[in-house]
Amino acid sequence: MIQKILIANRGEIALRVIAACKDLGIRTVAIYSQADREALHVRYADEALCIGPPRSAESYLNVPAVISAAEITDAEAIHPGYGFLAEDAAFAEVCEVSGVNFIGPRSDVIRLMGDKARARKAVAAAGVPVLPGSEGPVETEAEARKEAERIGYPVIIKAAAGGGGRGMRIVRNARELEQSFHQARHEASASFQCADVYLEKYIQRPRHIEFQVLGDQHGRVVSLGERECSIQRRHQKLLEEAPSPRVDAAMRAEIGKVLETALSRVGYSNAGTVEFLMDEDGKLYFIEMNARIQVEHPVTESVTGIDLVKAQIRIADGEPLDAILPEKIEIQGHAIECRINAENPETFAPSAGKVTKFLPPSGIGVRVETAAYSGWFVPPYYDSLLAKFIATGRDRTEAITRMKRALEMSVVEGVHTTIPLHSRIMSDEDFALGNFDTRFIEQLQQKKKAASTVG
Amino acid sequence: MIQKILIANRGEIALRVIAACKDLGIRTVAIYSQADREALHVRYADEALCIGPPRSAESYLNVPAVISAAEITDAEAIHPGYGFLAEDAAFAEVCEVSGVNFIGPRSDVIRLMGDKARARKAVAAAGVPVLPGSEGPVETEAEARKEAERIGYPVIIKAAAGGGGRGMRIVRNARELEQSFHQARHEASASFQCADVYLEKYIQRPRHIEFQVLGDQHGRVVSLGERECSIQRRHQKLLEEAPSPRVDAAMRAEIGKVLETALSRVGYSNAGTVEFLMDEDGKLYFIEMNARIQVEHPVTESVTGIDLVKAQIRIADGEPLDAILPEKIEIQGHAIECRINAENPETFAPSAGKVTKFLPPSGIGVRVETAAYSGWFVPPYYDSLLAKFIATGRDRTEAITRMKRALEMSVVEGVHTTIPLHSRIMSDEDFALGNFDTRFIEQLQQKKKAASTVG
Amino acid sequence: MNLDDIKELLKAVTDSDVTELEVELDEAKVRIRRGAPERESAPQPPYVVVASGAMPAGVTAPALGPGPVPQPGPTPKASPETPEASEDDGLTLVPSPIVGTFYESSAPGSPSFVEVGDKVAVGQVLCIIEAMKLMNEIESEVAGVVVKRFVANAQPVEYGQSLFAIRPVGA
Amino acid sequence: MNLDDIKELLKAVTDSDVTELEVELDEAKVRIRRGAPERESAPQPPYVVVASGAMPAGVTAPALGPGPVPQPGPTPKASPETPEASEDDGLTLVPSPIVGTFYESSAPGSPSFVEVGDKVAVGQVLCIIEAMKLMNEIESEVAGVVVKRFVANAQPVEYGQSLFAIRPVGA
């Protein structure tokens, strides 16, 4: 049994891991940068260790410092949270050779999932539907043209090593292909030191839907259903919910089953998320897999009743899923998560500074995950997530009503937040009807502009 | 449909009612005393009105001011919360004649339940088990002696109009009777302006167990199961849970059924709580009924999934229970509530003052009800309840584990709180086993003293 | 407004016998004080003090301190008008002793009990506040001249809301 | 508004007899107070303390930024000893540049690199910090006399934890 875990992260996810450890009776070690001395994870962990200056590269991303901190505190395991070192295969490997239990998949599986083209091939082989696209990188313009015609326009060109929208090019017809292909390779090379690109079918109005899975170290993988994550801005998720208004029990079961087979075959263990695009006809296509716990994991916890972070730790400790999960995974009720970022809700510019007042919402059907408090200083070095408000209800309508109330019955002063934006989403008719795709936020902003022009 | 509700209360219960109103789309009017200008219910209500100086007698208990506030704001209904005017039959009557919808039982039913002897007679007639005791007030010492012998010693003498332990006398044998009888009458007269006393069987080590009921205005009453409230200090509840470790499904169904019949017969409507004592053999005896929402209602909400305050409002609006409740009431999982009072955890002296830091717990399985915040000043005029932490889990063990964590992962500075006491309860073996009665806190304090003497 | 303007203001205040100056000009806000903050150390129970300032305003509010309870509380949303006069000006504010509806006269159409400019004696009826169908006559506690009325006829008032400002005789 | 502007304002206030100045200009907010702050921390209304305590809150804090964060963090529980000496005494503290284990000598049984009282030169090895099996020699950045050692042999140290206090030559 693991006795002590070092948490290689900060903010709300560090508190989330501390909570799971406390619930399991495991001692915790917090690490922190000099900018985080007043952070709550430092306060709530059993031990805390300063590992470097504010910049993440020299602290939270500093592998020798993190490993060394685990060594001198006798922590047997490291929970990486999300971001920072969570999907760094090299770090997982260092843990493996240092004899530290890395709470996540094996380093070779992380590496596989980090290479999108290889990951796609691996899951496609096991029957997971993937977007029609090129088999691996496309080297020449001629090859690209041939592939594009086979897939059918519009297509999208993506960097093999990429992420976050960089190096992507949409090609609507054969005429645009030449220029886009070369531009995409150029951007990929500049951004990721690797010019490889591949082609995929382009979906005009996709929904973003992802499946939560857990795998144990004994070859069993279980799907815990999907999350709807279409409410994003520039590929940054703002709001997630479970279940998706567009996935029914049959589709959930079908995709879940094929994922369980595919991921068991690649030896996937611990928590992971499989991301899909849904096209206008409701068909799902695999796009990538995230080999970590996600920011939005609480909505799945709310509808399944399963503590995913506790499950991660027990899996890393060698327990089989049979011991961790109930016999049958049931989806009950509905949950919505709003990410409250310290950002200007209009411009989305990060808003670091002192949080002069922070009164989180509370009450029936509301869960909060946060590391903020009145008087806390949001450091400018890290991400802008201030809090997650999670509302649950017997159905989607009740969850929306409660989220609306939570947004109204909370106070954040001193920094800008995305609370006003979320209030607008909660009052939007299309959102209420479940009619939206990944362009929802863009359209919402346009609606607002239109309204203010009229008025 | 009610459009606007005035909340005749303050603190966390005022926020609780505002939340329910928001969830139902009903506008709210807060009333406040001059001591509560900075209170959150003033901030979160749609309208707010100062109705008097700090002392409750001149503000929250000031009937003309409250009614007048409802009139000038066009509020159609008043939610009294708990305490203050919640069980004041005269106030309910003023509402009735003023044409204001009082969210609670009819004034005559409140009056009936306020008279313990009459209430006992009424429910006993319908088959609810009551403590063996005198039929109504006992006028003379001779009569008391006869009754005591019929019931069997030990017996307890109680004030008919009483509450809170005043005017109570335990009589262990015939010799003690004379003095105790006269003392009890004297105290009753001094405290409640009514010397009437009655006799009951005395249980040495009782558990305090109560049933939550809802009644509609169409004659239907439904029981929502029990709460275990034995963890008290001087008749003040400190911690409540649902379900009780000592009530099984058969007993829950049996008592529930008999209560539904009895309360339907007296015309009980809206939310109410029926209090029982459980003797050492696990038998339940009715002691009294509280005609209001209780502080500890959230634990019932957690295990039944029913929003009790929303239900109260819908009942007051004339809706039948069929429309409000699911077909079958199911008890799922376990919930514990800890009352975090601004009190010295050793002496229980109230600790008014500025809350310099207030970081409520959050995370999976934790609900908070509070009106406190960093920088808030706890006024010395009202009760000392600062927050309620509610932990839920699949079973009692998980709920305890999560409560322990919630108590550790929260910060209250500037005033004393009962948090340390609750942490001790959560770590107590007898509590973990469910082995306790109403003398638990007394024994816990003794254990501590013993431990410190040894050490 | 720029820095030089502010410095000039500082100098001007120093040269005057003014103790406090507040300026709101375009987008800028400046507040200057000097002298001992006696008012803040007034022996008020803290909650009363909290009640006074326009708390939500953030930085300026705390410095204002208690003084003559300016009405703009956190959200007395029902009170549409707030008094500008204060006891500092030698005026006495008449607060509503109860929640209810303000009436200027004993019956619709009747003349007002008092008008601005009227002299009033101690005990003279100023208005009626109706609460629960009861007409409560509000009497003046000072003799003086009515300088201002804050509330319109038939308007709801909350506890403590200012009704009139009276300049006491001889003040 | 930048730091220099704020400094200028500070000077202007100092030269005047003003006790308090508040400025809101564009996105910036500045509040300057002076004089008897003891009173405020005493029996004051609670919020005043809040306002005065952490200096001009709001925008100025960010401007100052983290920089050399003052050591007394909330719970550096792993650091068993904290330096009492400080640069104010003319001493130079040698902080650990990495997380790891402190060793006084190159091998068990070998003499310590330095003892309290020793003279050290710039670049002289003071100790070793082991991290991930790597032995990192920590060199002195000043010439002087070792006045104090804060850490025991084989003890774990966190980033920035003080290892030695050195009195620079000539200090």
Side-chain angles (χ1 to χ4, degrees):
Chain A
M1 183 67 191
I2 297 173
Q3 303 291 318
K4 199 193 260 187
I5 290 177
L6 181 140
I7 298 147
N9 217 303
R10 62 182 297 284
E12 65 87 18
I13 192 64
L15 295 194
R16 175 71 190 87
V17 177
I18 292 174
C21 289
K22 282 185 182 286
D23 289 356
L24 288 167
I26 296 172
R27 290 178 59 78
T28 50
V29 178
I31 57 172
Y32 60 98
S33 77
Q34 283 181 324
D36 276 340
R37 284 191 184 273
E38 298 299 323
L40 280 187
H41 71 290
V42 173
R43 179 166 192 149
Y44 288 146
D46 295 307
E47 295 172 51
L49 208 68
C50 181
I51 59 154
R55 285 195 21 171
S56 353
E58 297 169 59
S59 49
Y60 298 107
L61 288 171
N62 181 343
V63 173
V66 174
I67 297 286
S68 203
E71 281 175 353
I72 67 174
T73 56
D74 294 321
E76 304 137 271
I78 293 181
H79 196 300
Y82 53 71
F84 292 135
L85 299 170
E87 288 174 289
D88 184 325
F91 175 68
E93 206 170 345
V94 172
C95 286
E96 283 160 11
V97 300
S98 306
V100 177
N101 194 340
F102 175 81
I103 300 172
R106 290 196 320 266
S107 60
D108 59 316
V109 176
I110 297 177
R111 196 163 278 126
L112 169 69
M113 292 306 171
D115 180 334
K116 292 190 187 184
R118 269 180 69 208
R120 208 165 71 128
K121 206 178 281 179
V123 301
V128 177
V130 297
L131 268 183
S134 60
E135 298 269 323
V138 172
E139 310 270 322
T140 65
E141 193 200 315
E143 200 183 331
R145 194 172 296 277
K146 217 180 85 190
E147 284 295 316
E149 259 144 43
R150 187 178 62 80
I151 297 164
Y153 289 98
V155 297
I156 186 165
I157 308 178
K158 285 184 178 176
R166 279 174 303 170
M168 289 191 189
R169 276 283 177 292
I170 297 158
V171 187
R172 299 190 184 276
N173 51 51
R175 259 171 301 124
E176 291 175 14
L177 188 80
E178 179 179 351
Q179 198 188 350
S180 295
F181 178 73
H182 293 295
Q183 277 176 348
R185 279 181 66 90
H186 183 77
E187 265 183 58
S189 168
S191 299
F192 311 108
Q193 288 77 49
C194 165
D196 286 353
V197 297
Y198 62 99
L199 263 68
E200 265 177 12
K201 174 179 163 65
Y202 176 64
I203 301 169
Q204 298 264 36
R205 305 190 151 280
R207 292 176 85 104
H208 182 122
I209 288 176
E210 62 187 27
F211 276 70
Q212 175 69 53
V213 298
L214 285 177
D216 64 20
Q217 298 181 346
H218 313 282
R220 187 168 168 225
V221 175
V222 172
S223 163
L224 301 178
E226 83 288 354
R227 292 186 287 260
E228 165 75 60
C229 308
S230 302
I231 310 291
Q232 344 183 308
R233 182 183 168 276
R234 300 202 181 152
H235 300 273
Q236 296 296 315
K237 294 169 190 162
L238 287 169
L239 180 155
E240 303 92 355
E241 50 185 315
S244 163
R246 285 295 173 274
V247 175
D248 60 18
M251 181 187 273
R252 184 175 304 124
E254 183 200 320
I255 298 285
K257 193 143 184 267
V258 78
L259 284 179
E260 288 168 0
T261 312
L263 294 173
S264 172
R265 205 174 286 176
V266 301
Y268 197 91
S269 67
N270 220 290
T273 295
V274 187
E275 302 205 330
F276 291 89
L277 288 187
M278 181 184 264
D279 69 13
E280 296 79 359
D281 303 326
K283 271 193 75 176
L284 289 175
Y285 303 99
F286 171 90
I287 41 174
E288 65 175 311
M289 174 153 196
N290 299 323
R292 52 166 159 90
I293 194 78
Q294 307 260 110
V295 175
E296 59 270 27
H297 74 273
V299 294
T300 298
E301 293 184 326
S302 294
V303 296
T304 60
I306 293 156
D307 185 323
L308 290 171
V309 181
K310 257 164 80 175
Q312 282 194 291
I313 296 168
R314 294 175 65 184
I315 286 169
D317 212 16
E319 283 194 63
L321 284 181
D322 303 359
I324 298 170
L325 300 179
E327 237 172 277
K328 197 171 176 291
I329 306 294
E330 276 180 286
I331 308 294
Q332 278 197 337
H334 197 94
I336 300 179
E337 171 183 284
C338 288
R339 300 194 189 190
I340 311 302
N341 296 332
E343 286 173 3
N344 185 310
E346 300 302 322
T347 64
F348 295 91
S351 177
K354 190 179 172 189
V355 181
T356 51
K357 239 184 189 173
F358 184 81
L359 282 66
S362 58
I364 192 166
V366 174
R367 168 178 167 190
V368 175
E369 295 285 336
T370 186
Y373 57 88
S374 293
W376 180 61
F377 190 90
V378 183
Y381 305 100
Y382 316 110
D383 72 53
S384 60
L385 184 65
L386 204 61
K388 304 187 306 201
F389 295 174
I390 301 114
T392 59
R394 265 177 296 186
D395 53 31
R396 190 165 184 267
T397 307
E398 189 171 57
I400 291 176
T401 304
R402 286 175 169 175
M403 179 60 83
K404 212 164 165 172
R405 179 241 300 168
L407 293 165
E408 284 172 18
M409 295 180 73
S410 53
V411 180
V412 184
E413 288 175 9
V415 293
H416 285 293
T417 77
T418 46
I419 288 178
L421 174 69
H422 285 296
S423 290
R424 264 178 29 234
I425 298 173
M426 289 305 129
S427 301
D428 186 83
E429 250 184 68
D430 288 320
F431 179 75
L433 295 168
N435 284 339
F436 51 82
D437 55 56
T438 53
R439 290 169 55 190
F440 175 82
I441 291 293
E442 201 185 313
Q443 289 160 351
L444 190 75
Q445 303 291 68
Q446 282 166 0
K447 274 186 212 173
K448 201 195 168 193
K449 225 176 267 169
S452 66
T453 311
V454 171
Chain B
M1 184 64 193
I2 298 172
Q3 302 291 317
K4 199 194 262 188
I5 291 176
L6 181 139
I7 299 148
N9 218 305
R10 61 182 298 284
E12 65 88 18
I13 192 64
L15 295 195
R16 176 70 189 89
V17 178
I18 292 174
C21 290
K22 282 186 182 284
D23 288 356
L24 288 167
I26 295 171
R27 290 178 60 80
T28 50
V29 178
I31 58 172
Y32 61 99
S33 77
Q34 284 182 323
D36 276 341
R37 281 188 187 276
E38 298 302 318
L40 280 188
H41 71 289
V42 173
R43 179 167 192 149
Y44 288 147
D46 295 309
E47 296 172 51
L49 209 66
C50 181
I51 59 153
R55 284 192 19 160
S56 352
E58 298 171 60
S59 49
Y60 298 107
L61 288 171
N62 181 344
V63 173
V66 173
I67 297 287
S68 204
E71 281 175 352
I72 68 174
T73 56
D74 294 319
E76 305 138 89
I78 293 182
H79 195 300
Y82 53 71
F84 292 135
L85 298 169
E87 288 174 289
D88 184 327
F91 175 68
E93 206 170 344
V94 172
C95 287
E96 284 160 12
V97 301
S98 305
V100 177
N101 194 339
F102 175 80
I103 300 171
R106 290 196 320 265
S107 60
D108 60 316
V109 176
I110 297 177
R111 196 164 277 124
L112 168 69
M113 292 305 170
D115 181 334
K116 291 190 189 185
R118 269 179 68 210
R120 207 165 70 128
K121 206 179 282 179
V123 300
V128 177
V130 297
L131 268 184
S134 60
E135 297 268 323
V138 172
E139 311 269 323
T140 65
E141 191 199 316
E143 199 183 329
R145 194 171 297 278
K146 216 181 83 190
E147 283 296 316
E149 260 144 42
R150 187 177 64 77
I151 297 164
Y153 290 99
V155 299
I156 185 164
I157 308 178
K158 285 184 178 178
R166 279 174 302 172
M168 290 191 189
R169 277 284 177 288
I170 298 159
V171 187
R172 300 189 183 275
N173 51 52
R175 260 172 300 126
E176 292 177 13
L177 189 80
E178 179 179 352
Q179 197 189 350
S180 295
F181 177 74
H182 294 295
Q183 276 177 347
R185 278 182 65 87
H186 183 77
E187 267 184 55
S189 169
S191 298
F192 312 109
Q193 287 79 49
C194 166
D196 286 353
V197 297
Y198 62 98
L199 262 66
E200 265 177 13
K201 174 179 163 63
Y202 176 64
I203 300 168
Q204 298 264 38
R205 306 190 151 279
R207 293 175 84 105
H208 181 122
I209 288 175
E210 62 187 28
F211 276 70
Q212 174 70 51
V213 299
L214 285 177
D216 63 21
Q217 298 180 346
H218 313 281
R220 187 168 169 225
V221 176
V222 171
S223 163
L224 300 179
E226 83 289 352
R227 292 186 287 260
E228 164 75 62
C229 308
S230 302
I231 309 292
Q232 339 182 313
R233 182 183 168 276
R234 300 201 180 152
H235 299 274
Q236 296 296 315
K237 294 169 191 162
L238 287 169
L239 179 156
E240 304 93 353
E241 50 184 316
S244 163
R246 285 294 174 274
V247 175
D248 59 18
M251 181 186 271
R252 183 175 305 125
E254 184 200 320
I255 297 284
K257 194 145 185 265
V258 78
L259 285 179
E260 287 168 2
T261 312
L263 294 174
S264 171
R265 204 175 287 177
V266 300
Y268 196 91
S269 67
N270 220 291
T273 297
V274 187
E275 301 204 332
F276 291 89
L277 289 186
M278 181 184 266
D279 70 12
E280 296 80 356
D281 303 326
K283 271 193 74 173
L284 289 176
Y285 303 99
F286 171 90
I287 42 175
E288 65 174 311
M289 175 152 194
N290 299 323
R292 54 168 158 87
I293 193 79
Q294 306 261 110
V295 175
E296 58 271 25
H297 74 274
V299 294
T300 299
E301 293 184 326
S302 295
V303 297
T304 60
I306 293 156
D307 184 323
L308 289 171
V309 182
K310 256 163 80 176
Q312 283 193 291
I313 296 168
R314 294 176 64 183
I315 287 168
D317 212 17
E319 283 193 62
L321 284 182
D322 302 358
I324 297 170
L325 300 179
E327 236 171 278
K328 197 170 176 291
I329 306 293
E330 276 179 284
I331 309 293
Q332 277 196 338
H334 197 94
I336 300 178
E337 172 184 283
C338 287
R339 299 193 189 189
I340 311 303
N341 296 332
E343 286 173 5
N344 186 311
E346 300 302 322
T347 64
F348 295 91
S351 176
K354 189 182 171 185
V355 181
T356 51
K357 240 185 186 172
F358 184 79
L359 281 65
S362 58
I364 192 166
V366 175
R367 168 178 167 189
V368 175
E369 294 285 336
T370 186
Y373 57 89
S374 293
W376 182 60
F377 192 89
V378 184
Y381 305 100
Y382 316 111
D383 72 51
S384 60
L385 184 65
L386 204 62
K388 306 187 304 201
F389 295 174
I390 302 113
T392 59
R394 266 178 293 186
D395 52 32
R396 189 164 185 269
T397 307
E398 189 171 59
I400 292 176
T401 304
R402 286 175 168 173
M403 180 60 83
K404 212 164 167 176
R405 178 242 299 170
L407 293 165
E408 286 172 16
M409 294 179 73
S410 54
V411 180
V412 184
E413 289 174 9
V415 294
H416 285 292
T417 77
T418 45
I419 288 177
L421 174 68
H422 285 296
S423 290
R424 259 169 43 227
I425 298 172
M426 289 304 129
S427 302
D428 186 81
E429 248 184 68
D430 287 322
F431 179 76
L433 294 168
N435 285 339
F436 52 82
D437 55 54
T438 54
R439 290 168 57 190
F440 175 82
I441 290 293
E442 202 183 311
Q443 288 159 352
L444 189 75
Q445 302 290 67
Q446 283 165 2
K447 273 186 214 173
K448 202 197 169 193
K449 226 177 266 170
S452 66
T453 312
V454 171
Chain C
M1 194 177 297
N2 58 33
L3 275 186
D4 286 333
D5 298 339
I6 297 168
K7 279 193 276 180
E8 238 177 89
L9 280 178
L10 278 172
K11 207 180 285 169
V13 166
T14 307
D15 294 339
S16 74
D17 65 351
V18 160
T19 55
E20 190 163 340
L21 172 71
E22 255 184 75
V23 179
E24 266 188 63
L25 211 59
D26 308 324
E27 286 302 299
K29 237 189 235 183
V30 175
R31 201 155 75 82
I32 302 173
R33 281 179 97 167
R34 67 166 175 183
E38 327 81 51
R39 283 202 248 160
E40 294 184 8
S41 48
Q44 297 265 10
Y47 51 86
V48 171
V49 174
V50 170
S52 65
M55 287 315 306
V59 186
T60 46
L64 278 172
V69 185
Q71 281 290 326
T75 30
K77 298 159 193 163
S79 55
E81 234 178 283
T82 45
E84 285 122 57
S86 82
E87 298 193 34
D88 282 354
D89 310 325
L91 297 181
T92 296
L93 295 179
V94 179
S96 177
I98 52 170
V99 178
T101 306
F102 174 94
Y103 290 109
E104 61 188 5
S105 60
S106 56
S110 304
S112 296
F113 292 108
V114 291
E115 302 278 358
V116 169
D118 283 3
K119 274 194 186 162
V120 291
V122 172
Q124 185 175 335
V125 174
L126 299 172
C127 63
I128 281 174
I129 306 288
E130 184 212 319
M132 293 186 73
K133 318 274 178 267
L134 282 176
M135 299 298 170
N136 303 277
E137 293 185 338
I138 308 303
E139 300 175 352
S140 183
E141 290 183 359
V142 293
V145 177
V146 176
V147 172
K148 186 149 190 180
R149 191 177 104 182
F150 298 107
V151 183
N153 193 40
Q155 182 189 308
V157 292
E158 63 181 350
Y159 175 84
Q161 187 173 345
S162 292
L163 305 174
F164 296 94
I166 295 178
R167 184 179 308 282
V169 174
Chain D
M1 198 175 296
N2 58 33
L3 276 184
D4 285 334
D5 297 338
I6 297 168
K7 280 193 272 181
E8 237 178 274
L9 280 179
L10 277 172
K11 206 181 284 170
V13 167
T14 307
D15 294 340
S16 73
D17 67 349
V18 160
T19 54
E20 189 164 339
L21 171 70
E22 259 185 70
V23 179
E24 268 188 61
L25 209 59
D26 308 324
E27 284 303 299
K29 236 188 237 184
V30 175
R31 199 155 76 83
I32 302 172
R33 281 180 97 164
R34 66 162 176 189
E38 321 82 59
R39 285 201 245 162
E40 295 181 5
S41 47
Q44 281 292 325
Y47 57 83
V48 172
V49 179
V50 171
S52 64
M55 71 188 301
V59 179
T60 45
L64 284 172
V69 180
Q71 283 288 330
T75 33
K77 298 158 195 164
S79 53
E81 236 178 281
T82 44
E84 284 123 56
S86 80
E87 300 195 34
D88 284 351
D89 310 326
L91 298 180
T92 297
L93 296 178
V94 180
S96 177
I98 52 171
V99 178
T101 307
F102 173 94
Y103 289 109
E104 62 188 4
S105 60
S106 57
S110 302
S112 297
F113 291 109
V114 291
E115 302 279 359
V116 169
D118 282 3
K119 275 192 184 165
V120 293
V122 172
Q124 185 175 335
V125 174
L126 299 171
C127 63
I128 280 174
I129 307 289
E130 186 213 317
M132 294 186 73
K133 317 276 180 264
L134 282 176
M135 300 298 170
N136 303 278
E137 294 186 336
I138 309 303
E139 298 175 354
S140 182
E141 290 185 355
V142 294
V145 176
V146 176
V147 172
K148 188 153 186 182
R149 191 176 106 182
F150 298 107
V151 184
N153 193 40
Q155 184 189 308
V157 292
E158 63 181 351
Y159 174 84
Q161 187 172 347
S162 292
L163 306 174
F164 296 94
I166 294 178
R167 184 179 309 283
V169 174

